[in-house]
Amino acid sequence: ETGVTQSPTHLIKTRGQQVTLRCSSQSGHNTVSWYQQALGQGPQFIFQYYREEENGRGNFPPRFSGLQFPNYSSELNVNALELDDSALYLCASSLAGGGGETQYFGPGTRLLVL
Amino acid sequence: KQEVTQIPAALSVPEGENLVLNCSFTDSAIYNLQWFRQDPGKGLTSLLLIQSSQREQTSGRLNASLDKSSGRSTLYIAASQPGDSATYLCAVDASGGSYIPTFGRGTSLIVHP
């Protein structure tokens, strides 16, 4: 059984650019959630996908968007990058999406916006 | 709006001590509370998940309790070891039907030999 993987591990972009982060869910999981964790803070929920449909969204602007594919891998896209977007981006996968289940986190992608 | 507070923010203890980490939340209408561990620059590892109908969960040297009415949870770590050094985060979910957690900022724990 493979765990949750994310790519790339680190990324440097400049303000105004666009970025795509990728996540491969744990085998058999049909739900993926994305989080943003700024330095010294707890993770903040961005959105969740369940069977390729958005299943909940946190307080993030529309320039944060996502996709979940039939094989349950996922992408997080951020347009018009701002300096405050610099953070560790985490994805987590789980089974069922019904709430209350354990989420399995990837190691994260550290994004730096200059 | 749900707010989650963790006290203390940082803790440094000698090996062998028993520890209590605290988590409080403002809205008691939660479905579950989860404790996580995060090593520097890494993802999160789930330690214990307590459903709203439960009072506590135990795993090895870890015990987490939940008092929903008072908006509090504690994580008890028995006989701490240097390998326990990490940041401990609690997260509450009030969404029902999805899992949309609100996290605290965490307690940074150092256990020195």
Side-chain angles (χ1 to χ4, degrees), chain A residues 37 41 48 55 97 100 103 105-106, chain B residues 38 43-44 49 51 97-99:
Chain A
Q37 186 176 24
Q41 306 289 320
Q48 180 184 92
N55 190 41
Q103 291 195 327
F105 281 77
Chain B
Q38 185 173 31
L44 279 63
L49 171 66
Q51 302 291 354
S98 308
Y99 182 70

Side-chain angles (χ1 to χ4, degrees), chain A residues 33 35 37 40-43 45 48 55-57 88 90 97-103 105-107 110, chain B residues 32 34 36 38 41-46 49 51 89 93 96-106:
Chain A
S33 301
Y35 300 85
Q37 186 176 24
Q41 306 289 320
F45 176 80
Q48 180 184 92
N55 190 41
R57 188 178 182 93
L88 180 69
L90 298 163
E101 71 279 7
T102 298
Q103 291 195 327
F105 281 77
R110 186 162 295 282
Chain B
N32 59 67
Q34 193 159 181
F36 294 87
Q38 185 173 31
K42 301 289 178 63
L44 279 63
T45 300
S46 178
L49 171 66
Q51 302 291 354
L89 295 147
D93 173 35
S98 308
Y99 182 70
I100 303 178
T102 301
F103 281 85
R105 287 189 171 190

Side-chain angles (χ1 to χ4, degrees), chain A:
Chain A
E1 179 180 275
T2 59
V4 179
T5 60
Q6 292 186 244
S7 62
T9 56
H10 296 82
L11 201 52
I12 300 175
K13 291 285 190 178
T14 55
R15 199 168 42 178
Q17 285 188 311
Q18 179 267 342
V19 68
T20 298
L21 309 182
R22 294 181 174 84
C23 173
S24 179
S25 298
Q26 186 158 315
S27 177
H29 286 181
N30 55 18
T31 303
V32 65
S33 301
W34 284 91
Y35 300 85
Q36 180 194 68
Q37 186 176 24
L39 203 59
Q41 306 289 320
Q44 280 198 288
F45 176 80
I46 303 175
F47 44 56
Q48 180 184 92
Y49 281 81
Y50 171 62
R51 294 184 175 178
E52 304 174 57
E53 298 282 333
E54 188 177 289
N55 190 41
R57 188 178 182 93
N59 189 26
F60 280 81
R63 61 189 183 85
F64 286 78
S65 63
L67 281 173
Q68 186 184 32
F69 300 102
N71 65 356
Y72 300 133
S73 64
S74 174
E75 286 182 355
L76 164 66
N77 299 288
V78 187
N79 293 322
L81 283 166
E82 300 177 0
L83 299 180
D84 284 350
D85 295 334
S86 296
L88 180 69
Y89 288 84
L90 298 163
C91 77
S93 74
S94 59
L95 184 61
E101 71 279 7
T102 298
Q103 291 195 327
Y104 295 85
F105 281 77
T109 292
R110 186 162 295 282
L111 172 65
L112 177 61
V113 182
L114 302 175

Side-chain angles (χ1 to χ4, degrees), chain B:
Chain B
K1 180 190 169 189
Q2 179 75 268
E3 292 183 6
V4 179
T5 304
Q6 291 189 245
I7 293 172
L11 192 57
S12 180
V13 300
E15 182 176 5
E17 278 205 4
N18 299 324
L19 308 170
V20 175
L21 308 183
N22 297 290
C23 172
S24 61
F25 45 96
T26 53
D27 185 349
S28 62
I30 66 168
Y31 285 87
N32 59 67
L33 182 145
Q34 193 159 181
W35 283 93
F36 294 87
R37 169 188 172 134
Q38 185 173 31
D39 292 286
K42 301 289 178 63
L44 279 63
T45 300
S46 178
L47 299 173
L48 292 164
L49 171 66
I50 311 176
Q51 302 291 354
S52 62
S53 58
Q54 298 174 321
R55 298 283 295 184
E56 66 177 346
Q57 284 283 348
T58 298
S59 176
R61 294 182 294 108
L62 305 179
N63 175 275
S65 66
L66 173 63
D67 184 343
K68 208 173 82 158
S69 61
S70 67
R72 284 189 276 192
S73 175
T74 59
L75 178 67
Y76 177 82
I77 303 176
S80 59
Q81 303 171 357
D84 295 331
S85 299
T87 296
Y88 291 80
L89 295 147
C90 76
V92 297
D93 173 35
S95 60
S98 308
Y99 182 70
I100 303 178
T102 301
F103 281 85
R105 287 189 171 190
T107 293
S108 177
L109 172 65
I110 297 175
V111 181
H112 48 88

